[in-house]
Amino acid sequence: DLKSIKSVVYASSYLIYDPHLYNFNRSQEIPYSLKETDSIYPRNLTGMAKLAHEIELRFLDIFKKDQFSIGIPRIYRGYGRNSRDIISRWVREILNDEEIKVYRPEGIFDYIYAKDTALGILKIAEAKVVGIINLGTGSARKVNDVVNVLISRFPSAKVKNIESDIPYEASQADISELLKKINWKPTYSIENGIDEIIEFEKSRINKPNVSFGNVLVTSASKKIGLLKAVKKASNKISSDIKL
């Protein structure tokens, strides 16, 4: 009900689209370009949760469309600094002299760097885009391309291809609507993004040890499960943290 709200942007996901459109039994050379009008059938719990909120916003739009716009970017395969995405995990593993494990190197994904995602969301808000819009690069890359970029930066990297029975993904965003509505598309390439992640991860290695505080849990009754969970979580950060 805030009168100051002019635009609502909900960060959704391409995982809402029907996976039968872009998952295959054999590796593909050309990815399927997903359009905003393609059929939907969430392939996992993340897709289901995203779709549920899209439907909530569609319902809200009935009452609030004169007050503010609702834009829903469906974001593709994200990666970025200080992240748990596969590219960041691989960089950390290589820097730790660990072997990286690769599944389905023939898979094709539309990788979008976090800075581009953030800028895209901002531009969608500023333009007051209404409805669903793909937010990806529109130019997918193979998993093997990512691995080769990492090897070019770390020639001694240890890579192990793992046999798998998961489908071959070959997807990318059709960004025609993105170009039409905000006259912009992501600019980061896999090479540029990986270089920034490597620089960031190296800087973290060289940082001095950080001193953490302690954790205080207040409760009106016994919360043994909660206390155990907090202790387990704090130990992941530092064994010096007292509960």
Side-chain angles (χ1 to χ4, degrees):
D1 296 321
L2 256 132
K3 302 299 180 187
S4 58
I5 295 177
K6 304 299 180 189
S7 178
V8 173
V9 179
Y10 172 58
S12 190
S13 170
Y14 85 101
L15 295 173
I16 286 175
Y17 292 114
D18 188 344
H20 294 99
L21 297 169
Y22 60 85
N23 278 351
F24 304 91
N25 293 325
R26 289 192 287 277
S27 61
Q28 305 291 303
E29 289 303 317
I30 300 174
Y32 180 85
S33 290
L34 289 159
K35 300 176 287 297
E36 290 85 354
T37 53
D38 275 332
S39 59
I40 60 172
Y41 186 71
R43 83 184 205 197
N44 56 23
L45 292 174
T46 300
M48 288 172 61
K50 295 291 187 181
L51 179 58
H53 199 54
E54 282 191 13
I55 292 170
E56 287 179 320
L57 288 169
R58 186 174 67 191
F59 177 75
L60 184 65
D61 189 50
I62 298 171
F63 309 99
K64 297 292 184 180
K65 61 184 175 184
D66 292 332
Q67 185 179 331
F68 52 77
S69 62
I70 297 177
I72 303 175
R74 287 181 177 165
I75 302 167
Y76 284 69
R77 188 59 62 131
Y79 70 108
R81 296 182 302 174
N82 198 29
S83 173
R84 294 173 59 196
D85 66 78
I86 187 62
I87 296 176
S88 291
R89 296 204 307 270
W90 279 343
V91 169
R92 286 193 285 270
E93 287 167 355
I94 291 171
L95 288 172
N96 289 328
D97 198 30
E98 298 172 11
E99 182 180 72
I100 67 170
K101 297 178 176 61
V102 181
Y103 298 83
R104 290 288 194 244
E106 307 90 347
I108 308 174
F109 298 89
D110 192 335
Y111 297 97
I112 179 167
Y113 194 52
K115 284 184 179 180
D116 275 334
T117 300
L119 183 56
I121 288 172
L122 180 62
K123 287 180 176 292
I124 288 168
E126 289 174 338
K128 296 184 180 178
V129 172
V130 174
I132 294 160
I133 187 166
N134 281 329
L135 182 52
T137 66
S139 181
R141 301 284 295 271
K142 287 187 176 182
V143 173
N144 219 29
D145 291 341
V146 176
V147 174
N148 288 335
V149 172
L150 289 172
I151 291 173
S152 72
R153 273 55 171 177
F154 302 100
S156 60
K158 293 174 282 189
V159 180
K160 183 176 182 180
N161 287 322
I162 306 294
E163 289 295 324
S164 175
D165 59 358
I166 60 174
Y168 294 91
E169 178 163 339
S171 66
Q172 68 181 16
D174 181 323
I175 59 171
S176 304
E177 288 297 307
L178 190 72
L179 290 167
K180 178 181 173 183
K181 292 182 177 177
I182 64 174
N183 192 30
W184 174 86
K185 67 177 182 178
T187 58
Y188 268 83
S189 66
I190 280 288
E191 289 80 4
N192 298 144
I194 285 177
D195 285 342
E196 285 200 4
I197 290 172
I198 291 171
E199 183 182 353
F200 173 79
E201 292 296 340
K202 282 183 175 179
S203 71
R204 292 212 306 182
I205 292 172
N206 297 326
K207 280 185 178 179
N209 291 331
V210 179
S211 176
F212 296 97
N214 301 314
V215 180
L216 172 66
V217 178
T218 62
S219 174
S221 61
K222 293 182 180 179
K223 295 286 193 304
I224 303 303
L226 170 65
L227 296 173
K228 287 181 177 178
V230 173
K231 185 62 179 173
K232 183 179 179 181
S234 65
N235 281 338
K236 290 181 180 179
I237 299 171
S238 171
S239 59
D240 295 329
I241 297 175
K242 294 181 177 65
L243 176 62

